[in-house]
């Protein structure tokens, strides 16, 4: 049994611990060749590859095969947040050089919390202009951590100006130009507010969703506005010392009722993306029930966390040592996930925002209700090596087939 099994609560005694073992950021590192970082989306959304995790191994499929792993009575929870064209390129005024602003959080009264560049030149009082003066701005305050409060001045509707002047705030690891901005939006996006896409949903087409719903699978929506903090690296070795970023999320009454009904009737609650997962887990009662909710969340899910609502997860492949790799490890087990990621690298899957997908589904993941105690690091290493070797043989057999 892997050392990172499911526990009632994380145990904190001088750090994040499971079974007496301190959980370290470096436990979630894997080697990723740079050429596997997807720079552009696939031509067809649902043609991306899909790694489906089984109890001890996995299956190589395509995303359009997903309905084979769903059943009537399941409930898919999707994040309907829409990405703002939040990247503005302009000039410092009067007569200054080029500047860049990325909108993060609407602080009301035409004021936004932003990332700015060049930071040394954009101090309080600095003015900027965009789109030949259609939009102007002034830096009001430097916040802790370096973000700025920026007050904008304009005529008309701000979101319409952003659609005209703004660009998609693509992640820093994507260097290629995005020719169609809608490919960085899900087909069901509607609530504008994210600085980054909830990328697990990028694989769905309207036709695929319709076919899934026709099977008797319930589909419902939450909203979590993704911040750029989702790309922030974990800079501490002790996982428990990491400071999580805040994001705003909402659960409508109809979604809460649909999820509660699914659980009462014995169906599976399957989240599309870590953002949907973090939303429902943030607001769930201890017995797993949901109600209409809205507010800020800083929930940090890592091995040892007891899931209250989530049964399964559809997600992309995440950055090494990131909080999102830790989240999927909490669901499937750290060793199982690391073995799956190694296999994905061997099979040349595409990684990150425009990359391929993984489905972690009930009955396909080894999980226990009891905390597993591993005596020492040597035993942890031995268990991990046996587990990975077992997976390697099974994966190679699948690849041959």
């Amino acid at each position: 049994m892997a050392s990172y099994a499911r526990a009632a609560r994380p145990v904190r005694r001088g750090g994040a611990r499971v079974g007496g073992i301190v959980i370290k950021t470096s436990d979630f590192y894997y080697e990723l060749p740079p050429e596997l970082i997807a720079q552009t989306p696939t031509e067809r959304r649902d043609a991306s590859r899909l790694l489906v995790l089984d109890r001890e191994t996995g299956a190589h499929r395509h995303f359009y095969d997903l309905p084979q792993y769903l059943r009537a009575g399941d409930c898919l929870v999707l994040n309907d947040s829409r990405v703002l064209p939040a990247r503005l390129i302009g000039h410092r005024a009067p007569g200054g050089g080029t500047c860049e602003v990325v909108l993060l959080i609407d602080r009301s009264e035409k004021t936004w919390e932003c990332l700015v560049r060049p930071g040394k030149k954009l101090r309080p009082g600095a003015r900027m202009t965009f789109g030949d003066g259609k939009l102007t701005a002034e830096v009001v305050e430097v916040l802790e951590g370096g973000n700025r409060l920026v007050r904008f001045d304009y005529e008309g509707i701000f979101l319409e100006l952003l659609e005209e002047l703004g660009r998609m705030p693509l992640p820093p690891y994507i260097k290629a130009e995005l020719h169609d901005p809608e490919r960085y939006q899900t087909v069901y996006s509607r609530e504008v507010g994210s600085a980054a896409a909830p990328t697990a949903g990028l694989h769905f087409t309207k036709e695929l969703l319709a076919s899934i719903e026709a099977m008797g699978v319930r589909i419902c929506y939450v909203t979590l506005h993704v911040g750029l903090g989702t790309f922030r690296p974990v800079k501490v070795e002790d996982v428990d010392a990491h400071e999580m970023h805040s994001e705003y999320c909402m659960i409508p009454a109809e979604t809460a009722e649909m999820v509660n009904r699914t659980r009462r009737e014995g169906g599976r609650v399957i989240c599309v993306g870590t953002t949907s997962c973090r939303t429902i887990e943030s607001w769930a009662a201890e017995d797993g029930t949901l109600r209409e909710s809205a507010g800020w969340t800083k929930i940090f899910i890592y091995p040892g966390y007891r899931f209250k609502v989530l049964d399964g997860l559809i997600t992309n492949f995440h950055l090494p040592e990131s909080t999102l790799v830790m989240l999927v490890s909490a669901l499937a087990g750290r060793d199982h996930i690391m073995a799956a990621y190694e296999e994905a690298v061997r099979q040349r899957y595409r990684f990150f925002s425009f990359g391929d997908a993984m489905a972690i589904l009930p009955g396909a993941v080894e999980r226990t209700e009891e905390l597993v105690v591993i005596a020492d690091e040597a035993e942890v290493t031995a268990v991990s090596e046996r587990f990975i070797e077992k997976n390697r043989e099974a994966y190679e057999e699948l690849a041959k087939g």
Side-chain angles (χ1 to χ4, degrees):
M1 182 66 65
S3 60
Y4 292 93
R6 186 180 176 192
R9 292 287 181 194
V11 181
R12 295 179 174 88
R13 293 191 298 274
R17 294 172 179 264
V18 175
I21 304 299
V22 175
I23 304 177
K24 300 176 181 179
T25 298
S26 55
D27 293 336
F28 302 92
Y29 178 78
Y30 65 94
E31 293 284 350
L32 180 65
E35 66 270 18
L36 296 187
I37 300 174
Q39 294 297 308
T40 57
T42 55
E43 184 175 347
R44 194 177 116 194
R45 287 179 183 262
D46 61 358
S48 53
R49 297 169 75 186
L50 177 68
L51 178 59
V52 183
L53 291 194
D54 205 339
R55 186 172 300 278
E56 293 181 342
T57 180
H60 298 293
R61 298 289 184 264
H62 287 88
F63 202 83
Y64 51 70
D65 296 318
L66 178 64
Q68 299 176 23
Y69 298 93
L70 304 175
R71 53 179 180 251
D74 285 345
C75 180
L76 282 185
V77 183
L78 298 91
N79 181 8
D80 65 2
S81 183
R82 186 169 175 82
V83 184
L84 277 167
R87 184 169 172 242
L88 293 164
I89 308 296
H91 293 88
R92 304 194 304 277
T98 301
C99 64
E100 179 178 343
V101 172
V102 177
L103 308 178
L104 298 179
I105 302 171
D106 184 356
R107 297 300 188 187
S108 75
E109 297 183 356
K110 296 186 175 182
T111 301
W112 285 72
E113 182 174 338
C114 303
L115 295 175
V116 300
R117 185 186 300 174
K120 291 183 179 180
K121 301 286 187 180
L122 296 174
R123 298 292 180 180
R127 296 189 58 80
M128 298 166 284
T129 180
F130 308 93
D132 296 325
K134 290 183 179 179
L135 179 65
T136 60
E138 179 180 351
V139 177
V140 176
E141 183 181 345
V142 178
L143 302 175
E144 184 178 355
N147 291 352
R148 306 294 200 267
L149 282 185
V150 178
R151 184 183 298 114
F152 291 90
D153 188 35
Y154 52 88
E155 293 183 3
I157 299 172
F158 187 58
L159 289 180
E160 290 182 357
L161 276 174
L162 284 183
E163 290 291 342
E164 178 185 349
L165 304 177
R167 303 180 187 180
M168 280 295 163
L170 294 177
Y173 47 73
I174 294 179
K175 310 300 182 185
E177 183 180 353
L178 180 63
H179 296 290
D180 179 5
E182 281 301 309
R183 292 306 307 272
Y184 196 56
Q185 307 277 15
T186 64
V187 296
Y188 49 81
S189 64
R190 55 191 177 191
E191 300 292 338
V192 177
S194 279
T199 55
L202 296 179
H203 307 282
F204 285 93
T205 64
K206 291 180 179 179
E207 294 77 15
L208 181 60
L209 284 170
S211 68
I212 289 172
E213 196 165 23
M215 295 170 52
V217 175
R218 298 179 176 116
I219 295 177
C220 62
Y221 299 91
V222 297
T223 303
L224 183 142
H225 292 316
V226 186
L228 291 182
T230 192
F231 305 114
R232 181 187 301 166
V234 179
K235 297 181 178 180
V236 292
E237 179 65 354
D238 178 1
V239 166
D240 205 34
H242 176 66
E243 180 67 22
M244 200 68 176
H245 58 285
S246 295
E247 293 169 312
Y248 190 79
C249 58
M250 299 176 284
I251 301 176
E254 56 268 29
T255 292
E257 173 52 34
M258 191 176 291
V259 169
N260 292 340
R261 180 182 173 189
T262 298
R263 297 180 73 246
R264 286 195 304 269
E265 296 176 355
R268 302 178 299 178
V269 178
I270 301 168
C271 285
V272 176
T274 57
T275 57
S276 299
C277 166
R278 294 178 65 240
T279 299
I280 65 171
E281 290 294 323
S282 292
W283 297 108
E286 284 301 314
D287 65 357
T289 56
L290 293 178
R291 58 181 177 83
E292 183 178 10
S293 305
W296 294 88
T297 181
K298 295 180 71 173
I299 190 171
F300 183 11
I301 297 175
Y302 54 82
Y305 177 83
R306 179 178 62 83
F307 288 91
K308 294 174 284 188
V309 186
L310 179 79
D311 293 307
L313 181 66
I314 298 166
T315 186
N316 279 17
F317 292 92
H318 304 294
L319 278 71
E321 300 184 325
S322 65
T323 60
L324 302 183
V325 168
M326 296 174 194
L327 185 154
V328 296
S329 296
L331 178 62
R334 179 262 182 191
D335 295 314
H336 196 26
I337 288 296
M338 290 295 100
Y341 270 59
E342 287 184 9
E343 170 64 7
V345 170
R346 278 193 295 272
Q347 296 297 330
R348 311 295 290 178
Y349 274 63
R350 288 155 44 95
F351 279 67
F352 306 163
S353 296
F354 285 141
D356 296 316
M358 171 187 287
I360 307 170
L361 297 173
V365 181
E366 186 168 347
R367 291 166 63 187
T368 66
E369 296 294 335
E370 296 180 357
L371 183 66
V372 176
V373 178
I374 301 297
D376 53 46
E377 285 192 25
E379 189 175 355
V380 171
T381 301
V383 169
S384 177
E385 288 177 350
R386 290 197 300 272
F387 194 94
I388 291 173
E389 189 58 37
K390 186 176 185 180
N391 276 277
R392 182 175 293 119
E393 293 173 358
Y395 277 128
E396 289 173 353
E397 188 63 32
L398 276 169
K400 292 176 184 176

